[in-house]
Amino acid sequence: MMKKPAFLVSMCLSMGLLYGALPASAEPAPAVPLQAGHDISPTVDTGWVKTWGAEARLYTDREKDYSPADSYVEVTAEKKGWETNYYEIYLYRVELTGLHFVNYKTGYMSVGTKEKFYIDDFLSKGSSGEFKVEMKLYKERKDRDQYLGEWRTKTFKINH
């Protein structure tokens, strides 16, 4: 038989969850999708991956290959929780000899961020290539020893 105080707490919590009456600090901090208004299913998506330090995902803005009509690659990074962390997002070209650095973006995010890599900056007209995007997360820029993990997309193609 359950004791009355425990039963009351259990009831209050259940009702609070049903009616959204819990304070924000008691609710888990979900990641807010940055693609609001877009119901795309990007094929270049890491999915939610939990490392020893964070749970995040990284994806591009296309369902298929980039066409000559596209002018940039938009990368979205999202993470769970509200803590602000320092990120580095890298764009690599995939070649037979491995990954070759193309460009990078850095900054701070609490829930998510979007970055654009302009195709004219790294690929000439009429050419194409295979690429990957990688994100590294840190607690703070000044203390890069507090590494939270990395996420890397699958290979995607850009036709310019």
Side-chain angles (χ1 to χ4, degrees), residues 68-126:
D70 294 314
S71 60
Y72 58 85
V73 174
E74 185 173 75
V75 177
T76 303
E78 298 175 330
K79 68 176 202 60
K80 293 188 177 178
W82 296 103
E83 182 179 294
T84 299
N85 297 117
Y86 180 72
Y87 67 87
E88 298 172 340
I89 297 177
Y90 296 90
L91 177 65
Y92 295 106
R93 185 173 185 141
V94 179
E95 296 183 9
L96 291 176
T97 56
L99 297 178
H100 294 271
F101 172 80
V102 173
N103 202 347
Y104 75 102
K105 309 283 182 172
T106 64
Y108 289 92
M109 72 169 160
S110 58
V111 175
T113 189
K114 288 185 181 203
E115 294 288 355
K116 290 182 181 177
F117 294 97
Y118 289 90
I119 297 171
D120 281 340
D121 293 345
F122 59 87
L123 200 58
S124 60
K125 291 279 185 194

Side-chain angles (χ1 to χ4, degrees), residues 122-141:
F122 59 87
L123 200 58
S124 60
K125 291 279 185 194
S127 63
S128 64
E130 302 277 322
F131 295 86
K132 284 187 180 210
V133 180
E134 176 184 65
M135 175 179 65
K136 295 181 180 185
L137 272 180
Y138 302 89
K139 280 258 187 210
E140 179 67 39
R141 181 179 184 200

Side-chain angles (χ1 to χ4, degrees), residues 49-55 137 139 145-151:
V49 177
K50 186 172 186 174
T51 64
W52 58 92
E55 188 170 0
L137 272 180
K139 280 258 187 210
D145 291 336
Q146 293 195 17
Y147 182 66
L148 299 174
E150 67 184 52
W151 294 259

Side-chain angles (χ1 to χ4, degrees), residues 12-31:
C12 290
L13 285 173
S14 296
M15 291 178 70
L17 288 172
L18 284 173
Y19 298 107
L22 288 176
S25 61
E27 295 177 2

